[in-house]
Amino acid sequence: MPLTPEMRQSIEQIRNYLYGGGYPDPMSNAEQLSFLFFFYLIEGIDAENTMKAKVMKQKYESLFAGEWTLRNPLNAPEPNTKTIDKARFKWSVWAKGLSGESLVRFVRDEVFPFFAEVAERSAFNFMNGARLTIDEPTVLSQVVNLVDGLHLDQSDADTKGDLFEHVLRQIKQAGELGQFRTPRHVIRAIVNMLDPKIGETIYDPAAGTAGFLAAAFNHIRLANSSRSGISETDVEGKLQKRGIGDKLSAAQVSILQNSTFYGNDVDPKMVRLATMNLTLRGLPNVRIQLRNGLTTTQDNERKAELGLPLEGYHVVLANPPFSGRVDKDRIVDEVKVGTSTSTEILFLKYMMDCLRPNGRCGVIIPEGVLFGSTGAHKELRRQLIENNTVEAVMSLPGGVFQPYSGVKTSVLFFRKGGTTDKVMFLHADNDGYKLDANHDTPIEADDLPMLADAYLTRKERWAEWSARDAAAEWTQQWWFAAAATLRSNDFNISAGRYRPMSQTAAIHRDPRELLDELAAIETEIAVEVEALRAVLAETAT
């Protein structure tokens, strides 16, 4: 069942109630909704587990069996009662039986602590530190009624996932480290280009709301679906193919659910949102760790304890924080590149180390990383070119990350190991959405599918490029540069640096492209100034 207009309307009503009721922070609101979704769904999951255990004659104790010691005496159903039956924590009991002040008090003082204890006993505790923030009685009552009216238990995983994505779209602010929600159509293009397969391990070290992991899951299911198991649904104004994965065996489904997807994030709210996003999609066992890979390490013993791959990951997909800084004394030795404290540089080094031999990576980076002139920038690019196989750089349109940021970005594709002999460059003028302040109006012009196809057929494209007439004008939105040329340019891997350009084309370059380049250069100058300040500070001490 696709996401219906009625469901969208209910989410908009929830959003309006929260905003009008004095809860304007979309990040906190999305987090609170994730908790309510969990409280709603866990009753059905528990009932299903109970039935399965009965059929298979296995032991299983319901989450709602036993007694609960009340945290607040005012929640006692009768005077002098200190405990209640845990069955009262079923959504069908408290959400339908309480309202107003009684609802707020019971959810705040009993429901949250109860499920926090439940989460503590699971593989990961995504409710650690969670608390109710919607404490206005009328607003909470309205929101609970609307969530109940969504009938999530009657929706399939894709519909529930789409619904939650609709909630997440309201988050239009960047985090303190420069992290923000990656456009889902850009994520899908990158995932299609890397083409993750069943049996491979997939990792996002800056998972955010788990957009990359969810897209990889959809990609694998689509690739393993029969014709009758494939459908199209409208997502953000564009038709998107979905597959139910009916060609996957039971063993392969278990692999997908338990030993394929991995992620980290430094923000507890993001960990909770990512966990709920994956749970709604049918991946409740995926562990998103609350961890900063730039400041902490995990030895093999700890990895084994957590069930993480010891040899590294087959696929790394990420949009790490831009323009963030990490205190130099906290940076672990493994990810250091010169004296840089820039998150985009450190994360790229971290991802190089996370891959297993011949593992592949698709990572979104600010364009300054591709041509920056600091020692750290040059050394990072040298390591990429000399010690890895850089396959492609795809330049994204300026404004693709609006309304969060106007920073100009590219996508870097590389494999671990080997040495780069040539790099394919891809240039997108349009990504299927109007490049305005909101970047959410669908348009026909979309270069991403064509560029993804060019990347996937790059061997044939290389033959075409090699056989070209060098004197003729090159009109394709892709081209190549040899590694020797990159080395002679301080390992600069900026797409525009090597684009074949006729004199006519050069005179009539798109002003927006020129402005994007100027903005990227301005950002790079700011980074270099900060680096010089750091050097001077060290000299002074």
Side-chain angles (χ1 to χ4, degrees):
M1 179 181 73
L3 183 63
T4 64
E6 290 75 21
M7 286 179 163
R8 295 178 191 271
Q9 185 178 5
S10 291
I11 293 298
E12 289 305 310
Q13 280 185 278
I14 291 172
R15 179 171 173 264
N16 291 337
Y17 278 136
L18 290 171
Y19 190 84
Y23 303 95
D25 181 6
M27 180 82 77
S28 294
N29 293 343
E31 183 189 35
Q32 292 290 295
L33 274 179
S34 74
F35 294 138
L36 293 177
F37 288 171
F38 174 68
F39 301 156
Y40 180 100
L41 291 168
I42 196 66
E43 180 178 347
I45 293 171
D46 183 75
E48 184 178 342
N49 289 339
T50 301
M51 182 63 70
K52 283 181 180 178
K54 185 176 181 180
V55 171
M56 300 179 70
K57 298 181 179 179
Q58 296 175 341
K59 292 186 67 175
Y60 176 77
E61 184 178 7
S62 169
L63 300 176
F64 304 106
E67 296 287 313
W68 169 262
T69 301
L70 290 167
R71 300 297 192 266
N72 186 340
L74 294 176
N75 289 316
E78 298 174 2
N80 302 319
T81 303
K82 295 183 179 180
T83 63
I84 59 172
D85 193 315
K86 287 183 179 179
R88 287 180 176 268
F89 289 104
K90 292 181 179 180
W91 176 277
S92 60
V93 176
W94 63 262
K96 297 179 183 295
L98 296 174
S99 62
E101 291 283 359
S102 298
L103 177 66
V104 171
R105 188 172 58 244
F106 188 74
V107 174
R108 181 191 62 212
D109 300 336
E110 312 299 343
V111 173
F112 269 77
F114 172 77
F115 284 109
E117 283 195 10
V118 170
E120 280 180 5
R121 300 194 298 268
S122 63
F124 48 89
N125 182 5
F126 85 100
M127 287 197 64
N128 185 32
R131 64 185 183 87
L132 177 70
T133 59
I134 309 172
D135 53 5
E136 205 287 319
T138 302
V139 174
L140 182 61
S141 297
Q142 290 169 329
V143 170
V144 166
N145 287 335
L146 285 169
V147 170
D148 188 67
L150 291 172
H151 302 295
L152 292 175
D153 55 334
Q154 299 175 19
S155 302
D156 59 31
D158 284 331
T159 301
K160 286 185 283 195
D162 290 342
L163 178 70
F164 198 57
E165 281 291 343
H166 189 66
V167 173
L168 297 177
R169 285 189 70 193
Q170 309 306 322
I171 303 174
K172 297 186 177 182
Q173 61 196 52
E176 291 180 2
L177 293 177
Q179 72 270 34
F180 37 77
R181 183 177 183 269
T182 312
R184 273 22 185 184
H185 60 287
V186 174
I187 285 178
R188 288 193 294 273
I190 296 170
V191 169
N192 289 341
M193 293 165 82
L194 284 190
D195 189 24
K197 294 178 171 56
I198 185 70
E200 293 185 320
T201 51
I202 303 166
Y203 177 50
D204 185 346
T209 59
F212 271 111
L213 299 181
F217 179 52
N218 288 338
H219 178 86
I220 292 173
R221 286 195 305 159
L222 179 61
N224 292 277
S225 295
S226 63
R227 183 174 297 181
S228 62
I230 296 176
S231 60
E232 285 191 335
T233 187
D234 184 280
V235 178
E236 298 180 354
K238 298 278 185 176
L239 285 179
Q240 180 185 337
K241 284 187 176 181
R242 291 281 177 78
I244 61 175
D246 54 322
K247 294 170 69 174
L248 293 168
S249 67
Q252 288 174 323
V253 170
S254 178
I255 289 171
L256 270 181
Q257 292 177 336
N258 300 295
S259 56
T260 296
F261 303 104
Y262 304 86
N264 297 340
D265 205 276
V266 299
D267 187 340
K269 285 185 179 180
M270 287 297 181
V271 172
R272 291 169 186 149
L273 294 175
T275 300
M276 180 51 58
N277 194 10
L278 296 173
T279 297
L280 290 171
R281 295 176 184 280
L283 295 172
N285 297 328
V286 175
R287 184 186 185 107
I288 304 297
Q289 293 188 75
L290 179 61
R291 174 175 175 258
N292 187 343
L294 307 183
T295 60
T296 60
T297 58
Q298 292 177 325
D299 57 23
N300 282 347
E301 183 179 352
R302 179 59 176 161
K303 288 180 181 178
E305 181 184 335
L306 295 172
L308 306 178
L310 303 183
E311 66 279 11
Y313 299 92
H314 293 91
V315 178
V316 172
L317 296 156
N319 175 21
F322 300 165
S323 307
R325 294 283 170 182
V326 181
D327 183 81
K328 65 178 181 178
D329 295 329
R330 297 177 59 222
I331 301 172
V332 297
D333 291 339
E334 290 85 347
V335 304
K336 286 183 178 177
V337 183
T339 60
S340 179
T341 60
S342 299
T343 52
E344 57 262 35
I345 291 179
L346 301 175
F347 260 112
L348 191 49
K349 176 62 167 63
Y350 174 74
M351 285 183 277
M352 290 162 58
D353 296 339
C354 284
L355 289 168
R356 61 188 292 154
N358 205 41
R360 55 204 190 277
C361 177
V363 53
I364 299 172
I365 53 175
E367 295 223 330
V369 173
L370 303 175
F371 60 77
S373 58
T374 68
H377 282 92
K378 293 179 183 178
E379 173 57 20
L380 182 69
R381 296 197 301 268
R382 185 197 68 77
Q383 291 183 29
L384 275 168
I385 299 295
E386 303 288 12
N387 304 330
N388 299 276
T389 306
V390 177
E391 294 181 332
V393 174
M394 181 168 68
S395 176
L396 296 174
V400 76
F401 280 104
Q402 294 287 14
Y404 312 98
S405 170
V407 65
K408 183 73 170 66
T409 57
S410 286
V411 186
L412 175 66
F413 298 92
F414 68 93
R415 287 181 182 267
K416 179 158 186 174
T419 300
T420 304
D421 63 347
K422 61 182 177 295
V423 174
M424 183 182 203
F425 292 101
L426 308 153
H427 180 84
D429 288 314
N430 292 285
D431 68 335
Y433 291 85
K434 188 176 180 181
L435 295 168
D436 57 11
N438 290 317
H439 191 232
D440 59 2
T441 303
I443 61 173
E444 287 295 323
D446 185 359
D447 298 326
L448 296 183
M450 175 270 295
L451 295 178
D453 180 70
Y455 172 82
L456 292 170
T457 58
R458 56 192 177 280
K459 288 184 179 179
E460 293 84 347
R461 298 293 180 264
W462 168 248
E464 183 180 344
W465 169 261
S466 301
R468 78 192 188 285
D469 179 357
E473 183 173 350
W474 184 259
T475 59
Q476 300 286 358
Q477 287 177 246
W478 53 266
W479 55 93
F480 289 86
T485 304
L486 305 179
R487 292 188 185 95
S488 66
N489 285 286
D490 285 331
F491 299 99
N492 184 315
I493 47 176
S494 159
R497 180 67 175 261
Y498 306 102
R499 185 172 191 173
M501 191 75 70
S502 69
Q503 185 62 35
T504 302
I507 292 173
H508 297 289
R509 287 181 67 190
D510 190 333
R512 293 175 299 178
E513 185 178 337
L514 293 172
L515 288 172
D516 289 339
E517 290 184 9
L518 287 172
I521 292 170
E522 182 182 10
T523 301
E524 178 55 26
I525 290 172
V527 170
E528 293 190 18
V529 168
E530 287 300 317
L532 287 172
R533 281 198 179 118
V535 171
L536 290 173
E538 289 179 3
T539 305
T541 56

